[in-house]
Amino acid sequence: MTDFYDSLETRSADEREAALFAALPEQIRLAQADAPAYGRLLAGLDPAAITDRAALAKLPVTRKSELIDAQQADPPFASLIATPKSELRRVFASPGPIYDPEGWDNDWWRIARALFAAGFRRGDLMHNCFSYHFTPGGVMFETGAHALGCPVFPAGVGNTDNQAKAIADLKPQGYGGTPSFLKIILERAEELGLDHSSLTKACVSGEALLPPLRQGLKDLGVDVTQCYASADLGLIAYETAAREGLVVDEAIIVEIVRPGTGDPAPEGEVGEVVVTSFNQDYPLLRFATGDLSAVLPGVSPCGRTNMRLKGWMGRADQTTKIKGMFVHPRQIAEVIKRHPEVIRARLVVEGEAGADRLTLNIESAASGLEAALKDSFQSLCKLKTEIVLHAPGSLPNDGIVIQDKRA
């Protein structure tokens, strides 16, 4: 039994980078030609020039946080898809609503790779507890399972007693769904005296898998791995048996950028996950997910060689209303750009409504910057702040640009 889904997982970093960036210009041409929004956004761009990360980082970011308004203004997909609606396989709606397409390719969401890493093999029956209506979770995991040759019981959500009974009767080998619902089902099976011993592995998503929950499921006989996926991008990264970070999928390019910007963050710094997809139907370029993470150094002990993410570390959209004004992370980034001596900044908001106190904490080896930084902040944010200088490396590496400490 092979340990890897395919040979792409064990390529050298140089091989992977060369292959992805050799394919990128054609993906950009596709987006320019067939997705009208990208045709406008990238007008005049020569795709042949985008052959490395430095060039990619100069392209504009498409933000998930802006999709709701964009789709309302230009329904249903904000002209970001490259395939006519009439030729799609399915259309889904996530909360917002945000509408997402699905094309006809086998394993369109690329979930099979994550399921394989979780131990699913041909013939294993999956008990699939992701929702099958409105949102795509159920279909994402079902099509991934089918790509591996795994039959699926489409359990969906709710009906805990019936879920436990089905597991006892059908004896599935694996589970797909949220980890908390799996625990609920297994504990109910225990209460009802129903056998769930066939279920020994699970690939979960949709919520945090905290260590106590993972251990609780292990105590109930299920070895759990998690994957990071979204309705617009499909699989982004997945956990392996090593349990050391999430390995990035082979069919995307991931960047970590400073929140509120498109600027690449230094290696190891927490920032926003930005993904470029090679999906032919939905060719999202530099798609800002709104999620925070960071890159782990080195490669996974499991032998997969792609970049690893630490996992979900919070939300990048930290827009905060202060004294009636919205302040965005990108404005803090603009303050930094005006002062090259500044390494990192963190705005802390304290006090009560109507009496907000602002402190802009700055990492810098330089001194005497306070007056100039106050002026820049007031010019860009239309608010006054105190400035506190810190030595390089002093501020937390957690991706937080605006910390709201008000009650």
Side-chain angles (χ1 to χ4, degrees):
M1 182 185 296
T2 179
D3 291 329
F4 305 110
Y5 182 69
D6 56 27
S7 61
L8 298 179
E9 295 181 353
T10 55
R11 292 180 287 181
S12 71
D14 289 343
E15 285 179 297
R16 180 177 292 107
E17 200 81 347
L20 290 172
F21 282 93
L24 183 58
E26 185 56 38
Q27 183 72 353
I28 295 173
R29 289 188 191 95
L30 169 77
Q32 287 175 315
D34 295 341
Y38 280 119
R40 296 188 294 269
L41 188 64
L42 303 178
L45 174 75
D46 178 11
I50 313 302
T51 56
D52 58 27
R53 288 182 180 267
L56 177 62
K58 295 177 182 177
L59 300 188
V61 166
T62 301
R63 297 198 174 280
K64 182 167 185 169
S65 59
E66 298 170 354
L67 272 188
I68 296 173
D69 290 342
Q71 290 188 350
Q72 291 297 314
D74 183 10
F77 301 113
S79 296
L80 289 169
I81 70 169
T83 298
K85 183 174 64 174
S86 59
E87 296 178 17
L88 296 173
R89 186 175 193 175
R90 298 183 184 91
V91 174
F92 294 98
S94 298
I98 293 175
Y99 296 107
D100 292 297
E102 181 194 20
W104 286 88
D105 288 353
N106 182 40
D107 191 23
W108 193 84
W109 310 90
R110 309 182 318 283
I111 300 295
R113 188 179 300 280
L115 296 177
F116 189 91
F120 285 82
R121 297 295 185 270
R122 176 174 294 276
D124 288 343
L125 175 63
M126 174 195 279
H127 190 93
N128 187 7
C129 285
F130 280 113
S131 175
Y132 274 81
H133 71 284
F134 270 78
T135 57
V139 167
M140 290 169 73
F141 269 61
E142 179 167 294
T143 53
H146 288 168
L148 291 179
C150 296
V152 174
F153 177 68
V157 296
N159 302 305
T160 307
D161 287 7
N162 290 337
Q163 302 270 9
K165 180 70 162 58
I167 288 172
D169 292 343
L170 295 172
K171 302 193 180 333
Q173 285 75 37
Y175 166 92
T178 63
S180 60
F181 190 48
L182 174 57
K183 190 167 187 287
I184 289 169
I185 294 171
L186 296 181
E187 288 177 342
R188 185 57 177 156
E190 298 263 309
E191 292 171 3
L192 297 173
L194 297 172
D195 178 27
H196 59 77
S197 61
S198 68
L199 209 163
T200 59
K201 56 198 167 194
C203 185
V204 302
S205 192
E207 63 186 25
L209 177 60
L210 300 177
L213 179 53
R214 189 197 292 270
Q215 185 59 49
L217 291 168
K218 190 174 184 65
D219 293 343
L220 288 164
V222 184
D223 195 24
V224 179
T225 60
Q226 58 188 319
C227 75
Y228 170 28
S230 73
D232 22 62
L233 294 162
L235 183 65
I236 299 172
Y238 59 99
E239 198 171 34
T240 72
R243 305 292 192 273
E244 293 190 15
L246 304 179
V247 178
V248 169
D249 181 51
E250 297 295 329
I252 58 175
I253 298 171
V254 168
E255 303 169 85
I256 302 295
V257 307
R258 287 236 164 104
T261 77
D263 304 331
E267 185 174 351
E269 183 173 308
V270 177
E272 184 172 10
V273 178
V274 170
V275 178
T276 294
S277 166
F278 288 84
N279 188 307
Q280 300 287 292
D281 300 303
Y282 203 17
L284 294 171
L285 305 174
R286 300 205 80 206
F287 188 75
T289 63
D291 297 323
L292 291 176
S293 193
V295 175
L296 284 171
V299 298
S300 173
C302 73
R304 293 172 177 83
T305 55
N306 206 346
M307 172 194 297
R308 291 179 298 156
L309 302 179
K310 286 187 176 180
W312 188 82
M313 302 178 70
R315 295 294 298 168
D317 185 8
Q318 300 158 28
T319 299
T320 306
K321 195 171 188 178
I322 306 168
K323 296 183 179 180
M325 303 281 292
F326 282 105
V327 179
H328 305 269
R330 65 175 178 270
Q331 292 171 289
I332 309 303
E334 286 300 318
V335 172
I336 294 176
K337 285 182 180 178
R338 288 191 179 187
H339 303 274
E341 310 95 330
V342 174
I343 301 168
R344 191 184 301 170
R346 183 188 190 102
L347 180 68
V348 176
V349 188
E350 299 174 284
E352 298 178 357
D356 300 329
R357 299 190 307 275
L358 281 67
T359 304
L360 186 62
N361 295 277
I362 295 294
E363 270 190 20
S364 178
S367 59
L369 300 175
E370 289 90 343
L373 283 163
K374 280 186 177 183
D375 289 343
S376 294
F377 186 87
Q378 186 167 2
S379 171
L380 289 163
C381 302
K382 313 305 179 189
L383 294 165
K384 293 182 179 180
T385 185
E386 293 300 314
I387 305 294
V388 176
L389 297 181
H390 300 264
S394 299
L395 295 180
N397 179 22
D398 56 10
I400 294 178
V401 177
I402 304 175
Q403 183 180 15
D404 191 348
K405 298 176 71 174
R406 293 171 294 188

